[in-house]
Amino acid sequence: YQRRVHGVWQNGLKSVDKELETMTDLLSVPCQDAKGKWYRYVLQCYSDSSSAITTGREVFGLPYKVGKPVLDVRYDTVNGTFEYAGLEVAKATMSYKYSKLDNEVAKNIMDIPYATLRFIPDVDGSPLIAQLMAVSGSPKDVSMAYYGPSQIYSLSHVNAPLADFPVQASMGGFHIKATIQHQSDHLIHNYLDK
């Protein structure tokens, strides 16, 4: 699992008003630090929530943009769709409750931290903050976990270039219901250190 490129759709509750928001990390690639620790470096992520976008960008360095991801279950299929600027850009499907996944395995999958580039310019445009940081989404409770066959399809879009990263094969998917809280874990590298 660690060495695979991931497309992730997730539903969550907004911290402010507890309404449902959908976020997606549609492209994260595996990487390792010098000590051999695994991370998922997020190249593209989208949300329909302004609070997730602001917090994701400013606090965690996640490259959030406004988009319309949707995650739902219909009959025997988990569906993930994603629209950007009114056009459908990606579709993903997975068999619903295909094969039970051990909760500890599910926790280990979700426990792999993100590596994010937090870059904030100063008033003159020069870098004020330029950090590679780890963001963990440690699961507190897993109430449901399954894996099964999956497929993903993407269309070319100039401002949501998912199709620029071609899918060679889908290795399967996970459908996990858990309580997760994202938090800054540690600084991997500060690019402004002399």
Side-chain angles (χ1 to χ4, degrees):
Y1 178 78
Q2 293 171 329
R3 295 186 172 124
R4 296 180 186 166
V5 175
H6 300 108
V8 177
W9 274 261
Q10 56 186 338
N11 285 335
L13 295 176
K14 294 180 187 176
S15 57
V16 179
D17 54 16
K18 303 298 183 200
E19 286 185 21
L20 188 66
E21 63 185 352
T22 304
M23 298 163 282
T24 180
D25 310 322
L26 277 174
L27 197 54
S28 62
V29 295
C31 60
Q32 279 183 300
D33 65 15
K35 297 175 185 171
K37 181 167 176 59
W38 283 98
Y39 298 92
R40 294 179 291 182
Y41 185 79
V42 181
L43 296 172
Q44 297 179 41
C45 53
Y46 304 88
S47 178
D48 60 359
S49 164
S50 59
S51 61
I53 292 168
T54 303
T55 304
R57 277 192 202 156
E58 305 300 325
V59 177
F60 298 125
L62 291 163
Y64 269 113
K65 294 172 78 174
V66 175
K68 186 166 175 39
V70 175
L71 176 67
D72 64 1
V73 175
R74 295 191 188 180
Y75 310 113
D76 59 352
T77 307
V78 180
N79 295 310
T81 58
F82 169 62
E83 278 185 19
Y84 190 86
L87 296 175
E88 193 165 71
V89 178
K91 292 180 181 183
T93 58
M94 178 188 152
S95 293
Y96 182 59
K97 292 190 175 182
Y98 185 82
S99 187
K100 186 88 172 99
L101 182 68
D102 182 77
N103 285 0
E104 286 306 309
V105 173
K107 283 183 182 179
N108 290 339
I109 288 168
M110 292 187 300
D111 213 23
I112 300 169
Y114 292 109
T116 65
L117 180 60
R118 186 168 173 242
F119 180 83
I120 298 177
D122 208 337
V123 291
D124 63 358
S126 64
L128 177 65
I129 296 172
Q131 301 171 329
L132 187 62
M133 59 186 286
V135 176
S136 61
S138 299
K140 306 270 187 245
D141 174 47
V142 175
S143 58
M144 180 183 85
Y146 291 89
Y147 69 94
S150 66
Q151 293 292 325
I152 188 166
Y153 173 75
S154 59
L155 297 168
S156 295
H157 193 295
V158 67
N159 289 320
L162 302 171
D164 291 356
F165 207 96
V167 176
Q168 301 296 317
S170 177
M171 306 300 288
F174 300 99
H175 184 204
I176 301 169
K177 187 174 183 179
T179 303
I180 300 173
Q181 182 168 355
H182 289 91
Q183 59 191 22
S184 298
D185 194 0
H186 63 275
L187 183 66
I188 300 170
H189 183 75
N190 187 346
Y191 292 98
L192 299 181
D193 279 352
K194 305 277 185 230

